[in-house]
């Protein structure tokens, strides 16, 4: 039996386009013992899967030789970190000068330099502005050298060629070095190689000035890519930064301020009005309006009190709270979201995999076409060598695959980040892409379409007012934890009804509860048990049957041997369930509710929401129905809490877990809705369709510009400058278009 693969994770600095990621992937795959590599440009990370012990120093050297900063990410706190911890050797020489604060998603890599490495591809250091990065410095240096060359050429025409040659070398030497390193590491047809060939060729035919200008334009394009990649990265990092750095903890009768990352499960923290909550937890004292907008995008603050869950990064607006911590800093909801998004960005979408395969053929093909354009017309038709070599070189630049390669991952990374900021988590590009094809959504009922707990829907009074009926019922139910009792007590509290304690109250098995409230003998229980204690009119019997027919549970109140009232309860639909279902239908998506509940209750809820219902189902029945929908040719998403419908979630094309943050089955489903909104299913599908439309626009721009400039170059209308602008311009346009998704509102 083969041993399971271990995974080691690295953070990488200065990687900002998909061709960077491809070079690193190819180079690391060539090392002995490496089984698989996944690289995320937006996550600035690389995960290496390996059998035995990974020669980490070789990985660090291989990546550093390509000109990137690299550092091993800290092991995670969850179970998946065990493998990383098993061989977390003390590579002091690899980690010199690296700041390992925070968790792995918080590590910002400093550059680990190989001897003599021109760290062109290194990002700005942590907290540093992009314009102070090494790449920006090189770009500015090269641009300054080009301007100086123009000035020298104007003043001393004889030295013009040498001045431009010097300006060219400032930018070209680092590029050529990267091209050579990439070729040695298994990527001979890199963008740097095309650039180097074109620049050297241009010098050989006397177009030195153009060659120098082209190198500057290329460096500007790369710098802009870096800025754009940084924006996508910051959108996810911004989530992690929502958690405050310190917390007030109760210790020995007082409060002390400690770093938030040192909080342990069970600690009691004090949150003052206006403070951000530093950890996931449960309120044990106080109540407050909680502003969840930074984490969920929900604009209206929610009133929360004792027993309710709060999330790290949300704000207590008006009350002092005491909160018992339920998750360590590395495992709170935000940390898990950031981690899931980083892993998701490493998982490639089908479109992205196709583009990657296409570009591997495309770049060598461009080299061949460029060579044919340069050689055939002079050889076969007596064309001018200089003219056709110039055109061939321009084609090399037009053929740079950067814009095409970045078109998909940039859009997908922005889509995943945008979703995460709104509590819509998707596990990778293939899931995000899959949502755009969904044609049917199957919902679980309890806790998904409904709140998951009964609420009082009707109070009918006989011979006294409704508040009286509620007050008597609530007095009997005081201290009970039964869901129906909690519903009655909750309704009484909401109506601000004073509840007096009942005397000599006792439960009667299978029938109800009885006691004495203010000198009145009171019974609350089933209709059948109430009929044994009081006379019931036909109208009253009809009222009970009518409420039962709506899928409601009816408790009957008897006071001093007389019928006093009816209280009807039902697990009600979530406030946005009807809107969510109708939004899906408007998109032409079929909706169906699958529930183990009785037919009557299911039909009542389904009728109020306008959804097809299948009731009295076992978990395997839900799985079977998902299969039937798929055989009808539908692409099915299944939404549930991930517990009793796990088989159906697994069988669906996309399984969506829905729940309240920490308890949601994030790790098992393909996608998760953190904030229990039915409309979020529709938002996920809309987001996916927006991302796919964006990708189509990007591919059209990337290939369209190339096609136009290919024709104009061969026709002799445009030369080297427009050729590099076609590539750099397309790359910047495509990246900027993808970044628009960060502003998606849904």
């Amino acid at each position: 039996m083969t041993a399971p693969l271990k995974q080691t994770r690295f953070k990488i600095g200065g990687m900002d386009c998909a061709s960077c990621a491809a070079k690193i992937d190819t180079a690391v795959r060539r090392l002995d013992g490496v089984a698989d590599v996944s690289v995320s440009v937006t996550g600035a990370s690389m995960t290496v899967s390996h059998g035995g012990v990974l020669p980490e120093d070789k990985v660090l050297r291989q990546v550093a030789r390509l000109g990137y900063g690299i550092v091993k990410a800290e092991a995670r706190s969850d179970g998946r970190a065990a493998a990383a911890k098993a061989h977390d050797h003390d590579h002091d020489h690899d980690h010199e000068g690296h700041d390992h604060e925070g968790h792995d998603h918080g590590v910002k890599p400093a550059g680990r330099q190989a001897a003599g490495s021109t760290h062109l591809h290194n990002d700005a250091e942590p907290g540093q502005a992009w314009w102070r990065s090494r790449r920006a410095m090189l770009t500015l240096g090269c641009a300054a050298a080009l301007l100086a060359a123009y000035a020298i050429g104007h003043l001393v025409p004889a030295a013009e060629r040498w001045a431009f040659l010097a300006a060219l070398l400032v930018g070209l030497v680092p590029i050529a070095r990267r091209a050579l390193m990439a070729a040695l590491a298994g990527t001979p047809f890199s963008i740097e190689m095309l650039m180097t060939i074109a620049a050297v060729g241009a010098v050989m035919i006397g177009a030195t000035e153009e060659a120098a200008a082209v190198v500057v334009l290329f460096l500007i394009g790369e710098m802009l890519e870096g800025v754009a990649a940084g924006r996508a990265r910051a959108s996810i990092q911004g989530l992690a930064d929502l958690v405050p750095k310190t917390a007030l903890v109760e210790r020995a009768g007082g409060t002390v301020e400690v770093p938030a990352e040192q909080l342990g499960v069970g600690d009691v923290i004090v949150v003052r009005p206006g403070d951000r909550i530093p950890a996931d937890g449960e309120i044990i004292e106080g109540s407050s309006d909680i502003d969840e907008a930074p984490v969920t995008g929900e604009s209206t603050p929610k009133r929360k009190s004792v027993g309710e869950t709060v999330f790290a990064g949300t704000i207590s607006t008006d009350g002092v709270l005491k909160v018992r911590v339920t998750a360590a800093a590395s495992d709170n909801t935000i940390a898990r979201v950031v981690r899931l998004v980083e892993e998701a960005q490493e998982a490639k979408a089908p479109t992205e995999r196709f583009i990657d395969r296409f570009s591997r053929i495309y770049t060598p093909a461009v080299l061949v076409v460029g060579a044919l354009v340069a050689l055939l017309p002079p050889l076969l038709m007596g064309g001018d060598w200089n003219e056709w070599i110039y055109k061939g070189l321009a084609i090399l630049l037009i053929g740079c695959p950067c814009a095409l390669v970045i078109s998909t991952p940039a859009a997908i990374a922005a889509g995943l980040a945008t979703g995460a900021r709104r509590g819509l988590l998707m596990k990778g590009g293939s899931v995000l892409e899959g949502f755009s094809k969904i044609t049917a959504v199957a919902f679980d009922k309890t806790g998904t379409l409904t709140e998951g707990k009964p609420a009082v829907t009707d109070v009918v009074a006989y011979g006294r007012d409704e508040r009286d009926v509620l007050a008597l019922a609530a007095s009997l139910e005081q201290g009970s934890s039964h869901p129906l009792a909690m519903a009655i007590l909750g309704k009484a509290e909401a109506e601000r009804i004073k509840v007096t304690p009942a005397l000599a109250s006792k439960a009667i098995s299978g029938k109800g509860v009885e006691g004495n409230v203010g000198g009145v003998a009171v019974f609350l229980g089933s209709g059948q048990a109430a009929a044994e204690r009081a006379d019931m009119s036909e109208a009253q019997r009809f009222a009970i049957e009518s409420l039962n027919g709506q899928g409601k549970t009816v408790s009957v109140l008897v006071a001093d041997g007389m019928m006093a009232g009816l209280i009807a309860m039902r697990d009600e639909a979530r406030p946005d369930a009807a809107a969510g279902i109708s939004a899906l239908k408007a998109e032409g998506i079929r909706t169906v509710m699958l529930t183990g509940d009785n037919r009557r209750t299911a039909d009542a809820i389904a009728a109020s929401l306008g959804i097809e219902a299948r009731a009295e189902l076992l978990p395997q029945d839900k799985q079977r129905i998902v299969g039937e929908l798929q055989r009808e040719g539908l692409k099915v998403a299944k939404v549930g809490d991930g517990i009793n419908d796990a088989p159906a979630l697994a069988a669906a094309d996309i399984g969506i877990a829905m729940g309240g943050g920490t308890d949601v089955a994030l790790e098992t489903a393909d996608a998760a809705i953190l904030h229990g909104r039915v409309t979020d299913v529709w938002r996920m599908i809309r987001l996916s369709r927006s991302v796919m439309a964006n990708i189509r626009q990007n591919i059209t721009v990337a290939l369209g510009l190339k096609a136009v400039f290919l024709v104009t170059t061969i026709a002799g209308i445009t030369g080297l400058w427009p050729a590099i602008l076609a590539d750099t311009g397309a790359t910047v346009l495509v990246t900027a278009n993808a970044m628009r998704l960060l502003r998606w509102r849904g």
Side-chain angles (χ1 to χ4, degrees), residues 421-453:
R421 291 194 77 96
R422 285 165 180 72
L424 315 176
L425 296 186
M426 288 165 271
K427 289 230 183 130
S430 54
V431 175
L432 178 56
E433 201 168 306
F435 265 106
S436 66
K437 303 183 181 111
I438 291 297
T439 50
V441 180
F443 289 93
D444 193 28
K445 178 182 81 75
T446 308
T448 300
L449 286 174
T450 67
E451 294 283 8
K453 55 181 188 283

Side-chain angles (χ1 to χ4, degrees), residues 107-232:
V107 177
K108 189 113 187 226
R112 176 196 186 281
Q113 271 180 272
S117 155
T118 308
H119 234 293
L120 169 67
H121 243 67
N122 203 0
D123 248 336
E125 298 302 325
Q128 195 182 51
W130 62 267
W131 45 267
R132 294 179 63 187
S133 66
R134 285 197 176 94
R135 166 173 313 162
M137 295 298 184
L138 179 73
T139 307
L140 290 170
C142 198
L146 181 64
L147 291 173
Y150 277 116
I152 290 166
H154 188 68
L155 298 170
V156 189
E160 183 181 54
R161 183 183 159 92
W162 296 107
F164 281 118
L165 192 58
L168 167 70
L169 290 174
V170 171
L172 189 62
V173 169
I175 293 171
R177 188 191 163 281
R178 274 160 54 200
L180 179 64
M181 287 302 173
L184 292 174
T187 311
F189 301 115
S190 62
I191 171 135
E192 288 85 359
M193 187 62 81
L194 293 180
M195 192 67 230
T196 306
I197 294 169
V200 171
V203 171
M204 288 169 70
I205 59 167
T208 313
E209 177 190 340
E210 279 199 66
V214 160
V215 167
V216 171
L217 289 170
F218 173 75
L219 290 173
I220 290 170
E222 280 214 320
M223 188 176 71
L224 290 173
E225 276 176 41
V227 173
R231 276 193 58 200

Side-chain angles (χ1 to χ4, degrees), residues 491-522:
K491 179 72 169 174
E493 190 184 342
E495 299 280 342
R496 295 207 162 88
I497 291 170
K498 187 169 180 292
V499 179
T500 51
L503 301 173
S505 67
K506 64 172 196 269
I508 302 161
S509 180
K511 295 191 173 182
V513 60
E514 67 181 8
N516 191 296
V517 182
V520 180
V522 184

